[in-house]
Amino acid sequence: GIHSTVSAAAAATAADSEATAEQSSEAEVETAAATAAAALAAAAAAVAETAAAIAEVTGEAERPMTSTSKEETVDGSISLGQTVIWGGKTGTVRYIGEVKFTAGEWVGLELKEATGMHDGTVLGVRYFECAPKHGAFTQTAQLEVVEVTPSSTPVEDA
């Protein structure tokens, strides 16, 4: 009856559609593959950017950027390697100069005790190296220089 005629017509239409799909599908598959490859590359780039941003924020970058220190502060009052007192804490000057996290000249200290905030790396930038929790940054006005005696120049007897 009519049911078998409709079924036969539907089967013939389906067969024609499959044949047409096979002819056009090769180009469509190539286009879809290229689109998928581009999307995958974009996703991989986004993942890499996100990983780099996380590493920067956490200070866990595999190879942190480094910043080169000056030998002394602009006013000449503090030099690299000097022993200083900062807020009652003793430390050694390990970095002098600009920093990424704020404006102005900053002094990086390696504190004798583990009362600092970092290991010399802040926001993915290595300013100096010290043990964890021994690093701190401050400004020149907050430092007191510890006098080092005797002087390095020998005194000659008359």
Side-chain angles (χ1 to χ4, degrees):
I2 188 131
H3 184 51
S4 63
T5 306
V6 170
S7 293
T13 303
D16 286 347
S17 295
E18 284 178 21
T20 304
E22 284 176 10
Q23 291 170 358
S24 63
S25 70
E26 199 172 319
E28 289 171 353
V29 167
E30 286 179 12
T31 301
T35 302
L40 185 58
V47 167
E49 284 180 24
T50 301
I54 290 169
E56 182 174 324
V57 169
T58 61
E60 294 175 2
E62 288 181 32
R63 292 183 197 161
M65 297 185 333
T66 57
S67 185
T68 305
S69 178
K70 297 190 296 180
E71 289 297 315
E72 64 180 26
T73 55
V74 172
D75 67 6
S77 66
I78 304 289
S79 299
L80 279 182
Q82 271 186 319
T83 300
V84 294
I85 305 281
W86 171 63
K89 303 170 188 177
T90 302
T92 304
V93 176
R94 298 291 183 213
Y95 178 86
I96 299 169
E98 302 286 320
V99 292
K100 183 177 180 180
F101 53 87
T102 192
E105 181 180 66
W106 288 79
V107 179
L109 303 177
E110 178 179 4
L111 302 172
K112 290 198 185 293
E113 305 292 324
T115 54
M117 296 161 263
H118 51 75
D119 66 355
T121 299
V122 179
L123 296 178
V125 179
R126 168 73 68 195
Y127 295 97
F128 59 95
E129 289 188 44
C130 66
K133 303 280 186 193
H134 282 73
F137 275 98
T138 186
Q139 294 196 295
T140 306
Q142 297 177 329
L143 295 174
E144 176 187 336
V145 176
V146 175
E147 293 301 321
V148 180
T149 53
S151 78
S152 58
T153 307
V155 178
E156 294 182 19
D157 292 320

